[in-house]
Amino acid sequence: QDVLTNFKPDVIIHLAAQTSVAYSFTHTTEVFNVNFLGVVNMAEAARRVLPKLKRFIFSGSVEEYGIQTKFPTKETAELRAASPYGVAKIAAEKHLKYLYHAYGFPAVIFRNANSYGRRYNHQFVIESIIYQMYQGKSPIKLGDPTPYRDFIFEPDLLSAYILATESNNKKIIGESINIGTGKSLTIRQLAEEIRKITGYKGKIKWNSFPKRSLEIPKLEVDNSKAKKLLKWKPKYSLDKGLRITASYYKK
């Protein structure tokens, strides 16, 4: 609260989270404290001391959709979290919507697809595959090859935050907006695409890690709302994004 009082931001972009879905299965309370109560604390402080706040942009997740049957999934779909991580993101979103309806709090919720393009963190699937393939040890270890995922390159995700920050369109306030490509591929297909880029000749040992409880077979989101309200669309193809990301890890 003191920080907000001193700094008086016009916009808050809330990205802080424990970001590992797998971690949430074994550290549920910690993930709820960070990913739900952390958002509540920040939003409540902002509501108390920042009467002129223009935007509170919250980083939600496509994980909130859980197991769906219609693709690409629209924002109107029922939220069916399939992990404690997903539950916490839904709870945070519900609290922000309550603040919007009750007090006109300027919340904007992004439901982000799986992002990639990290330079120094190879814990996430795309970066992990690239990193392991460039290390050249065979076999590399990967998890379940079957789930479909929608991947968004970091510069495209960043441009959505910038547009939401600078937009004069009041219609975005109180809304949940998918930020994804509307296309998906399996982790197996993804690994083969990355193999072409890295030139990896070795084997892949699939299912090297335990399957997550209630694995989501497919996440693929409709981005027409983002196109309409934010005038946003992804500029990078998956191939281009993968090549740029791979360039960070090439020796």
Side-chain angles (χ1 to χ4, degrees), residues 33 42 49 60 95 105 172 177 181 203 207 235 246:
N33 283 336
M42 180 63 81
V49 303
H95 188 78
F105 187 71
I172 68 172
I177 305 168
T181 67
K203 292 189 169 70
N207 299 305
K235 292 191 172 75

Side-chain angles (χ1 to χ4, degrees), residues 101-113:
H101 290 298
Y103 307 104
F105 187 71
V108 179
I109 292 126
F110 278 2
R111 292 179 188 158
N112 298 332

Side-chain angles (χ1 to χ4, degrees), residues 13 15 57 110 112 115-116 152-167 172 177-180 223 226-227 229-236:
I13 299 175
L15 303 173
I57 304 165
F110 278 2
N112 298 332
S115 66
Y116 69 99
I152 184 88
F153 190 38
E154 275 191 347
D156 280 331
L157 184 55
L158 182 61
S159 74
Y161 282 104
I162 292 167
L163 286 166
T165 300
E166 296 176 345
S167 168
I172 68 172
I177 305 168
N178 288 336
I179 308 294
N223 62 14
K227 285 176 178 166
L229 292 181
L230 290 173
K231 304 284 181 273
W232 172 89
K233 67 171 194 280
K235 292 191 172 75
Y236 292 86

Side-chain angles (χ1 to χ4, degrees), residues 57-129:
I57 304 165
F58 170 62
S59 175
S61 168
V62 296
E63 281 281 333
E64 295 174 51
Y65 289 117
I67 298 167
Q68 297 287 334
T69 51
K70 288 184 181 164
F71 304 99
T73 306
K74 290 185 182 291
E75 289 85 353
T76 48
E78 184 191 347
L79 301 176
R80 300 173 179 153
S83 64
Y85 173 90
V87 172
K89 288 288 187 186
I90 292 172
E93 178 170 328
K94 297 270 189 205
H95 188 78
L96 292 172
K97 291 249 174 108
Y98 142 71
L99 290 179
Y100 164 70
H101 290 298
Y103 307 104
F105 187 71
V108 179
I109 292 126
F110 278 2
R111 292 179 188 158
N112 298 332
N114 291 47
S115 66
Y116 69 99
R118 299 167 187 83
R119 286 171 186 261
Y120 308 109
N121 180 347
H122 51 78
Q123 303 303 309
F124 292 80
V125 65
I126 285 179
E127 292 82 353
S128 170
I129 297 171

Side-chain angles (χ1 to χ4, degrees), residues 104-218:
F105 187 71
V108 179
I109 292 126
F110 278 2
R111 292 179 188 158
N112 298 332
N114 291 47
S115 66
Y116 69 99
R118 299 167 187 83
R119 286 171 186 261
Y120 308 109
N121 180 347
H122 51 78
Q123 303 303 309
F124 292 80
V125 65
I126 285 179
E127 292 82 353
S128 170
I129 297 171
I130 291 169
Y131 177 78
Q132 290 188 76
M133 284 186 174
Y134 273 144
Q135 292 290 306
K137 291 194 188 95
S138 179
I140 64 166
K141 290 183 176 178
L142 297 175
D144 187 346
T146 60
Y148 283 79
R149 291 293 183 265
D150 187 338
F151 290 101
I152 184 88
F153 190 38
E154 275 191 347
D156 280 331
L157 184 55
L158 182 61
S159 74
Y161 282 104
I162 292 167
L163 286 166
T165 300
E166 296 176 345
S167 168
N168 293 319
N169 185 357
K170 294 281 195 291
K171 286 180 181 166
I172 68 172
I173 293 176
E175 291 296 324
S176 302
I177 305 168
N178 288 336
I179 308 294
T181 67
K183 298 187 182 110
S184 67
L185 77 171
T186 67
I187 304 302
R188 190 187 297 279
Q189 289 168 323
L190 176 69
E192 290 309 320
E193 290 299 313
I194 296 172
R195 188 197 284 277
K196 282 180 212 157
I197 293 165
T198 60
Y200 177 69
K201 299 280 192 289
K203 292 189 169 70
I204 298 172
K205 186 171 185 288
W206 292 105
N207 299 305
S208 297
F209 317 108
K211 270 189 170 46
R212 65 184 253 196
S213 311
L214 210 58
E215 177 60 85
I216 301 171
K218 184 170 180 173

